[in-house]
């Protein structure tokens, strides 16, 4: 369970440049933008500059965009355990072990259930964002360093459905995940199957009822769209 996320006061974000992601046909160059997080961690200010210069050095002229202020929503992009096997793996893509899930719901108050594959579980966390939109379509959130307070416990398999992928539990929702590198339709299918499995095993739904319920009351979203995983 994540009890607190305390980002530092300075963050950065960038795009991946021409050809990358959903806006790759429109952007003409890579850029970096800097962000200031308020002392009380409630808001973030983005320094914009339509001329493409380093925004925090730009003069306040008529050609500059104003500062843009939006809520601070700290979250962990990476949270996972050691995967099956003995070989080292990259942080990306995510998988059944968790990893670079980039789900903004993995925030303060959330509990993330992840299958354990090795003694000690070997938890890894990182990739803190002061804010990130669904899809992370520019390729980054507001990347920032900071401190995290969390607690870990072992849950008996009989207490929760034995899904293959991580499940995030909040006060109001249960969120399943699906991973299929560069294949958004397959990823959404896996996440939907995981949700249906959770409903049938945890709450006794028939598969047919789970299908109907997810269609009328479930939400299907994308955490990572620029390089979908």
């Amino acid at each position: 369970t994540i009890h607190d996320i305390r980002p530092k006061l300075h963050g950065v974000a960038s795009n991946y440049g021409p050809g990358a992601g959903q806006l790759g046909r429109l952007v003409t160059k890579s850029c970096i933008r800097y962000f200031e997080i308020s002392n009380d961690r409630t808001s973030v200010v983005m320094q914009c500059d339509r001329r493409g210069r380093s925004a925090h050095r730009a003069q306040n002229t008529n050609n500059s965009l104003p500062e843009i202020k939006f809520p601070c929503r700290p979250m962990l992009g990476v949270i996972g355990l050691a995967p099956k096997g003995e070989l080292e793996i990259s942080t990306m893509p995510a998988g059944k072990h968790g990893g670079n899930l980039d789900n903004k719901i993995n925030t303060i108050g959330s509990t993330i259930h992840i299958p354990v594959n090795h003694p000690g579980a070997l938890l890894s966390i990182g990739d803190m964002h002061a804010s990130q939109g669904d899809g992370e379509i520019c390729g980054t959130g507001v990347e920032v360093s900071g401190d995290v307070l969390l607690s870990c416990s072992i849950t008996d398999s009989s207490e929760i459905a034995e899904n293959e992928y991580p499940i995030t539990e909040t006060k109001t929702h249960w969120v399943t995940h699906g991973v299929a590198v560069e294949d958004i339709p397959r990823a959404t299918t896996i996440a939907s199957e995981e949700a249906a499995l959770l409903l049938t095993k945890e709450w006794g739904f028939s598969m047919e009822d789970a299908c109907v319920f997810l269609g009328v009351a479930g939400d299907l979203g994308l955490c990572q769209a620029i390089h979908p995983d």
Side-chain angles (χ1 to χ4, degrees):
T1 299
I2 302 173
H3 301 291
D4 197 13
I5 302 176
R6 299 280 297 175
K8 302 299 184 182
L9 301 183
H10 306 283
V12 64
S14 66
N15 67 32
Y16 277 20
Q22 286 66 43
L23 299 179
R25 295 189 302 111
L26 303 180
V27 299
T28 59
K29 57 187 174 182
S30 299
C31 73
I32 296 174
R33 292 293 179 261
Y34 299 94
F35 300 78
E36 302 296 327
I37 293 92
S38 62
N39 288 324
D40 60 3
R41 275 75 172 182
T42 61
S43 63
V44 179
V45 172
M46 175 179 175
Q47 303 288 344
C48 295
D49 185 87
R50 65 163 57 104
R51 296 163 298 179
R53 295 193 307 160
S54 181
H56 72 304
R57 297 178 184 273
Q59 299 297 318
N60 186 17
T61 69
N62 291 332
N63 291 326
S64 293
L65 292 171
E67 295 180 342
I68 298 176
K69 186 177 181 179
F70 53 94
C72 181
R73 302 179 299 186
M75 50 82 71
L76 296 179
V78 171
I79 182 163
L81 307 181
K84 289 182 179 180
E86 303 297 331
L87 298 178
E88 295 180 355
I89 64 168
S90 173
T91 302
M92 295 190 295
K96 296 177 180 179
H97 64 285
N100 193 47
L101 295 169
D102 273 332
N103 191 339
K104 70 180 186 182
I105 294 176
N106 291 337
T107 185
I108 299 169
S110 296
T111 297
I112 300 91
H113 304 272
I114 307 174
V116 175
N117 300 301
H118 296 276
L122 305 176
L123 173 69
S124 177
I125 63 172
D127 193 26
M128 183 186 295
H129 300 149
S131 180
Q132 179 205 293
D134 286 333
E136 199 184 29
I137 63 172
C138 76
T140 72
V142 178
E143 310 291 330
V144 65
S145 60
D147 301 306
V148 179
L149 177 65
L150 55 79
S151 60
C152 301
S153 60
I154 301 296
T155 302
D156 188 274
S157 60
S158 63
E159 297 180 22
I160 190 170
E162 294 183 52
N163 285 53
E164 292 188 316
Y165 287 83
I167 300 170
T168 298
E169 177 186 355
T170 73
K171 290 182 178 180
T172 58
H173 291 77
W174 290 78
V175 181
T176 56
H177 296 84
V179 176
V181 178
E182 300 295 336
D183 189 344
I184 289 177
R186 179 58 183 155
T188 59
T189 294
I190 295 172
S192 299
E193 291 175 347
E194 289 281 294
L197 180 66
L198 184 65
L199 289 173
T200 59
K201 290 194 173 182
E202 192 74 9
W203 287 282
F205 280 62
S206 70
M207 188 56 69
E208 292 71 24
D209 284 342
C211 178
V212 172
F213 179 74
L214 290 171
V216 301
D219 295 316
L220 181 60
L222 292 176
C223 301
Q224 177 59 268
I226 187 169
H227 44 79
D229 56 26

